[in-house]
Amino acid sequence: MKRKRKKSNTIFVIFILLFVFLLMKQVMEISIEGNVFTPVNPPDSFANVKKYSNLLHDELAKYGLEEHTSTVIALMQQESRGRGGDPMQASESAGLDPNTITDPAESIRYGVKHFQRIIKYGNEKNVDFSTIIQSYNMGIGYIDYIANAGGKHTEELAKQFSMLQVEKNPTLYDCGGDKGNFRYPYCYGDFSYSAKVAKYIDELADSVPTYVNGE
């Protein structure tokens, strides 16, 4: 009788172990399938800017520059990531103090108007497109500087131009006194601006083209 009971207990334990093994195997298979067939889409870093794409496109179309929509999206990405009331950081180009504009639509109007002005002037001065992009950050005077230096933008020339402006007003252009700032001592503008915008343009070209109507 004891042998039969011992044998029954052994069979029961084996049955339980087998059941647990099969259950764990099934859970692991479900987990693996979930990892393989449930991709996680990374957040779109251009999401805040793309919501203005139609407005940017339409404003550029007023000047016949709608083919530059991607460029201006990249400019906005660099300026503000599409945040705030002045996403194009256009207050100063409108002759106002920084961040005076609080309406994104107004910011885009002035920003696109400034872009139209520098692209027109840049073409007249026969400078490259990188110079035009850099001048959105450093002002139209940068176009004149590059036109007299061969017509092609480089970061070294941007640094030289920046230093000229710093020397004119060292108390204003001091990077807030932060010597650890990557721009220091070239604290007027951002000498790497054009390269950053170019990087965003490339990223936009590789993304799903949903940011421009009809483009």
Side-chain angles (χ1 to χ4, degrees), residues 6 17 73 76 147 149 152:
K6 187 175 181 180
L17 290 174
I73 288 175
M76 184 188 285
K152 291 186 177 181

PDB file of all heavy atoms in Angstrom, residues 6 17 73 76 147 149 152:
ATOM      1  N   LYS A   6       3.574   5.929  -2.561  1.00  0.00           N
ATOM      2  CA  LYS A   6       4.838   6.601  -2.921  1.00  0.00           C
ATOM      3  C   LYS A   6       4.951   6.785  -4.421  1.00  0.00           C
ATOM      4  O   LYS A   6       5.371   7.826  -4.922  1.00  0.00           O
ATOM      5  CB  LYS A   6       6.009   5.774  -2.400  1.00  0.00           C
ATOM      6  CG  LYS A   6       7.353   6.467  -2.565  1.00  0.00           C
ATOM      7  CD  LYS A   6       8.448   5.643  -1.928  1.00  0.00           C
ATOM      8  CE  LYS A   6       9.780   6.364  -2.077  1.00  0.00           C
ATOM      9  NZ  LYS A   6      10.872   5.577  -1.472  1.00  0.00           N
ATOM     10  N   LEU A  17       5.737  19.270 -12.196  1.00  0.00           N
ATOM     11  CA  LEU A  17       6.951  19.842 -12.791  1.00  0.00           C
ATOM     12  C   LEU A  17       6.810  20.009 -14.298  1.00  0.00           C
ATOM     13  O   LEU A  17       7.242  21.021 -14.872  1.00  0.00           O
ATOM     14  CB  LEU A  17       8.155  18.947 -12.474  1.00  0.00           C
ATOM     15  CG  LEU A  17       8.609  18.932 -11.010  1.00  0.00           C
ATOM     16  CD1 LEU A  17       9.710  17.901 -10.807  1.00  0.00           C
ATOM     17  CD2 LEU A  17       9.110  20.312 -10.590  1.00  0.00           C
ATOM     18  N   ILE A  73      11.882  74.636 -41.969  1.00  0.00           N
ATOM     19  CA  ILE A  73      11.539  73.726 -40.864  1.00  0.00           C
ATOM     20  C   ILE A  73      12.798  73.428 -40.051  1.00  0.00           C
ATOM     21  O   ILE A  73      12.781  73.434 -38.811  1.00  0.00           O
ATOM     22  CB  ILE A  73      10.912  72.426 -41.398  1.00  0.00           C
ATOM     23  CG1 ILE A  73       9.494  72.702 -41.903  1.00  0.00           C
ATOM     24  CG2 ILE A  73      10.867  71.343 -40.316  1.00  0.00           C
ATOM     25  CD1 ILE A  73       8.831  71.505 -42.557  1.00  0.00           C
ATOM     26  N   MET A  76      13.724  76.412 -37.920  1.00  0.00           N
ATOM     27  CA  MET A  76      12.896  76.502 -36.720  1.00  0.00           C
ATOM     28  C   MET A  76      13.309  75.456 -35.681  1.00  0.00           C
ATOM     29  O   MET A  76      13.324  75.731 -34.483  1.00  0.00           O
ATOM     30  CB  MET A  76      11.415  76.343 -37.055  1.00  0.00           C
ATOM     31  CG  MET A  76      10.512  76.533 -35.837  1.00  0.00           C
ATOM     32  SD  MET A  76       8.759  76.137 -36.107  1.00  0.00           S
ATOM     33  CE  MET A  76       8.226  77.557 -37.049  1.00  0.00           C
ATOM     34  N   ALA A 147      31.260  87.340 -48.790  1.00  0.00           N
ATOM     35  CA  ALA A 147      31.405  87.763 -50.193  1.00  0.00           C
ATOM     36  C   ALA A 147      32.795  88.339 -50.441  1.00  0.00           C
ATOM     37  O   ALA A 147      33.358  88.177 -51.534  1.00  0.00           O
ATOM     38  CB  ALA A 147      30.337  88.797 -50.536  1.00  0.00           C
ATOM     39  N   ALA A 149      35.387  87.328 -48.829  1.00  0.00           N
ATOM     40  CA  ALA A 149      36.376  86.324 -48.416  1.00  0.00           C
ATOM     41  C   ALA A 149      36.298  85.063 -49.275  1.00  0.00           C
ATOM     42  O   ALA A 149      36.698  83.989 -48.837  1.00  0.00           O
ATOM     43  CB  ALA A 149      36.171  85.968 -46.945  1.00  0.00           C
ATOM     44  N   LYS A 152      32.432  81.493 -49.805  1.00  0.00           N
ATOM     45  CA  LYS A 152      32.064  80.195 -49.231  1.00  0.00           C
ATOM     46  C   LYS A 152      32.225  80.204 -47.712  1.00  0.00           C
ATOM     47  O   LYS A 152      33.283  80.560 -47.188  1.00  0.00           O
ATOM     48  CB  LYS A 152      32.910  79.076 -49.835  1.00  0.00           C
ATOM     49  CG  LYS A 152      32.598  78.820 -51.300  1.00  0.00           C
ATOM     50  CD  LYS A 152      33.352  77.599 -51.822  1.00  0.00           C
ATOM     51  CE  LYS A 152      32.974  77.321 -53.275  1.00  0.00           C
ATOM     52  NZ  LYS A 152      33.674  76.110 -53.809  1.00  0.00           N
TER      53      LYS A 152
END
